[in-house]
Amino acid sequence: MSRRRTRLPLTILAAAVGILCAIPLLWVLTNSLRPGAETFGTISPLSWETFLTLTPNVDNYAALAGTSLGRGILNSIIVSVATVAVGLVICAMAAFALAALPFRGRSAVFSVIVLSFLIPFDAIAIPLADVFRTWNLQNTFTGLILPGLGNGMAVFLLRQFFLAVPEDLAEAARLDGLGWWGIFSRIYAPLARPAMIGAALMLFLFQWQAYVWPLLIGTDSEHILGPVALANMQGQFSVDYGLMFAGAVVLIAVPLVIILTLQRYFIQSVTTSGLK
Amino acid sequence: MTSTIAGRTRKVRRGYGRVALAFLAPAIVVLVLVRLVPAASALYGSLTRSSLLTGDTRFVGWENYAELLGNPDFRGAVGVTVLFTLIINPLQVAIAFALAVLFTRRLAGVRWWRSLVILPIAVPPAVSAVVWNVIYRPDDGLANAVLSVLGLPPQPFLTSPDQALAAIIVLLSWVGVGYWMLFLIAGINDVPGELYEAAALDGAGPWRKFFHITLPMCRRPLAFVLVADTVSNLLVFAPVQMLTGGGPEGSTNLLMYDIYTRAYTLGDLGRAQAEVVVLVLLTVVIVAAQFRMLRGDSEGA
């Protein structure tokens, strides 16, 4: 009886919280679909037109193409994709060694690798930027990509999955003449597909969301990344808010689409990271 | 006989070691390049001072650390960071847990409402700062438009020393709470249903079930989320740099931003490096605790 009495208010509460969280995003989306000059005209007094438009147009998105924001978004895609491609191999190789190859001091090496990669990168970004400048890596894609290649959570997650692969399988493959690289790439990696996808997502998000590092190391017009280009816009004398919101929507939509598509693996990786 | 067998096993072991090293090598190279080298460089730099006039660098020992301790800006930043840490972390974990409990109940359309809460986790920090900068505009921002509909007076938000830190906490929670909620939902879903059935047989109400079953059974994920959340909030930078510049009156001058201005605006690299060392030591301690929690269960499983 009491259940029924509490269910309606709780449903209303759940809906209210959900809508409240989504409203800023709806507002950003709507303003990306109308001219920048109208952004503030529709705010006060508040009306349905603040959050919705009946005359959407994609001019702002088309206009992104020639701007530094458009360039930044393109660079963000290049850097993130390259990081996933190279970083996934590096992390999976390390996880394979730590799961499938018994060697002395393995657990110590495991602790050192995971722990040092778990130290948040932003904390040491400023001294690293000085080091990279002396190595002439500022304003290069190498300099932007390098810090994203190792990821403690990814190594940790992949190792958990690799540990579950039966040792007999590797042994049988060895007897059939398969080398260690073959065992890794043809047996372990395919069997851990959900973890590989989860790890790829982590590597991608690290680069896509980065702000401190690209601000320190990649600020020329050819190597600027999306978030830095977006941040630069608001410092300018006259801001085209339509363009700014269109850029924000793209920078939000790319990870959102990936997260929603790979949600299954993401949740899986969250729950298998030893939190159960 | 025995010695040759022992010799052979040792050989096999060593063989594995070499293979393992080959597989670990790329990760170790990256680790040395982007973690150890900058850490060593910060440690060394924190013990030296360069002269702007002559460009000479000399060894000064602990001087930078001692001067940092007496520096009012640094002490202000530590104070703001401590206050910020003590407010934002319990707040975010409590809200994330309340939402996790709410969104694991059987309610109409609950999956939809839950997805809406999760949406903001896709927003990169710099993008959320740009968006909320427009929301917080004192004259024509969205937040004050909402307040006026509710009949409340307009607020200065980011331009007031009393409100700027709170405004940043709201911005960060919008992005962060949904993420931490995911971990806690996983924790709640793992609580065995029989416990609730047994409690229901004993006539326990919803509050008793929450305090005697849900809360104690979720202690581990809650502890993990609190620690991981603390680390991420210790390094908040984008909203401070983009929205307040540490102001007004130093009220939002968090450690990461203080380091950034000390290094690049003031050009005081030695003391900035000393501050980096302090921050890294702090995060290492917290991260080590987090790692123990990550590892504890899985090693037994």
Side-chain angles (χ1 to χ4, degrees), chain A:
Chain A
M1 225 172 48
S2 75
R3 269 200 136 186
R4 203 167 279 169
R5 233 184 297 145
T6 56
R7 194 170 282 186
L8 183 64
L10 283 180
T11 306
I12 293 171
L13 182 66
V17 171
I19 291 168
L20 209 64
C21 285
I23 272 188
L25 290 176
L26 176 66
W27 180 71
V28 170
L29 179 67
T30 300
N31 280 313
S32 76
L33 296 171
R34 63 181 162 211
E38 287 176 25
T39 301
F40 294 100
T42 51
I43 278 185
S44 197
L46 215 56
S47 73
W48 64 267
E49 273 189 295
T50 312
F51 301 105
L52 293 170
T53 171
L54 294 179
T55 53
N57 71 68
V58 293
D59 292 354
N60 292 322
Y61 291 91
L64 273 178
T67 62
S68 84
L69 184 54
R71 178 71 197 246
I73 291 170
L74 200 67
N75 284 342
S76 279
I77 293 173
I78 295 171
V79 167
S80 305
V81 169
T83 301
V84 171
V86 183
L88 195 59
V89 176
I90 292 179
C91 291
M93 279 170 68
F96 173 73
L98 295 169
L101 297 167
F103 61 93
R104 274 176 67 182
R106 186 169 76 168
S107 63
V109 174
F110 170 68
S111 295
V112 169
I113 288 189
V114 176
L115 205 58
S116 22
F117 276 137
L118 280 180
I119 294 166
F121 174 70
D122 287 358
I124 48 164
I126 287 173
L128 183 62
D130 286 335
V131 175
F132 270 35
R133 268 180 220 121
T134 62
W135 292 347
N136 282 323
L137 287 173
Q138 83 273 39
N139 289 317
T140 64
F141 282 111
T142 312
L144 287 165
I145 291 167
L146 209 51
L149 296 181
N151 185 306
M153 279 302 266
V155 175
F156 187 88
L157 166 75
L158 288 165
R159 177 178 169 270
Q160 295 299 105
F161 266 71
F162 287 160
L163 281 175
V165 177
E167 271 173 52
D168 304 354
L169 220 54
E171 205 128 309
R174 289 257 295 164
L175 289 177
D176 284 349
L178 200 60
W180 285 111
W181 178 259
I183 293 173
F184 161 66
S185 60
R186 291 209 223 151
I187 299 176
Y188 276 73
L191 280 175
R193 227 183 110 212
M196 295 289 277
I197 293 172
L201 186 63
M202 285 176 197
L203 291 162
F204 182 86
L205 289 179
F206 175 89
Q207 285 291 21
W208 192 263
Q209 306 208 321
Y211 177 70
V212 176
W213 184 247
L215 180 73
L216 296 178
I217 209 79
T219 43
D220 77 3
S221 56
E222 274 168 54
H223 299 91
I224 199 162
L225 295 192
V228 178
L230 190 73
N232 284 348
M233 273 187 80
Q234 60 163 15
Q236 287 161 8
F237 181 65
S238 71
V239 181
D240 182 343
Y241 283 95
L243 193 69
M244 194 179 93
F245 282 118
V249 168
V250 177
L251 286 169
I252 294 168
V254 170
L256 192 61
V257 168
I258 298 177
I259 289 176
L260 292 181
T261 328
L262 303 179
Q263 205 175 32
R264 213 152 37 99
Y265 304 106
F266 184 63
I267 302 275
Q268 221 168 349
S269 56
V270 163
T271 49
T272 47
S273 48
L275 288 160
K276 281 188 157 187

Side-chain angles (χ1 to χ4, degrees), chain B residues 19-249:
Chain B
V19 177
L21 187 66
F23 275 93
L24 286 167
I28 291 173
V29 168
V30 173
L31 185 80
V32 170
L33 283 186
V34 305
R35 302 285 150 131
L36 300 187
V37 168
S41 133
L43 193 60
Y44 175 72
S46 74
L47 303 173
T48 64
R49 191 170 299 165
S50 319
S51 161
L52 284 175
L53 289 176
T54 60
D56 291 341
T57 305
R58 62 191 172 87
F59 189 82
V60 294
W62 298 105
E63 218 171 272
N64 287 324
Y65 290 89
E67 284 179 19
L68 206 54
L69 275 180
N71 184 302
D73 288 336
F74 172 74
R75 281 157 67 158
V78 170
V80 170
T81 306
V82 168
L83 177 72
F84 173 77
T85 300
L86 290 178
I87 296 173
I88 193 169
N89 297 306
L91 185 80
Q92 289 192 340
V93 175
I95 294 175
F97 194 43
L99 292 180
V101 171
L102 179 66
F103 287 117
T104 45
R105 298 189 61 140
R106 285 196 201 89
L107 303 169
V110 71
R111 281 178 168 273
W112 281 97
W113 310 130
R114 186 163 83 186
S115 311
L116 293 184
V117 176
I118 297 170
L119 286 184
I121 74 173
V123 183
V127 178
S128 71
V130 164
V131 169
W132 283 79
N133 195 29
V134 185
I135 292 179
Y136 281 141
R137 278 161 70 117
D139 300 322
D140 49 7
L142 184 63
N144 272 330
V146 173
L147 287 183
S148 81
V149 168
L150 299 173
L152 297 167
Q155 300 297 323
F157 298 117
L158 298 168
T159 53
S160 150
D162 299 324
Q163 294 182 3
L165 193 62
I168 286 182
I169 288 175
V170 170
L171 179 170
L172 291 169
S173 302
W174 177 64
V175 184
V177 159
Y179 182 68
W180 304 118
M181 182 186 78
L182 283 179
F183 290 84
L184 298 174
I185 284 177
I188 291 173
N189 284 338
D190 284 335
V191 177
E194 303 95 71
L195 288 178
Y196 291 106
E197 284 160 29
L201 285 177
D202 288 344
W207 288 108
R208 283 196 61 158
K209 278 188 204 162
F210 174 77
F211 281 108
H212 287 97
I213 301 172
T214 315
L215 192 60
M217 291 297 284
C218 288
R219 207 182 301 150
R220 272 178 55 84
L222 275 170
F224 173 80
V225 165
L226 181 63
V227 170
D229 192 21
T230 304
V231 175
S232 72
N233 283 324
L234 207 53
L235 299 157
V236 164
F237 175 76
V240 179
Q241 189 245 355
M242 291 164 61
L243 303 191
T244 63
E249 293 167 33

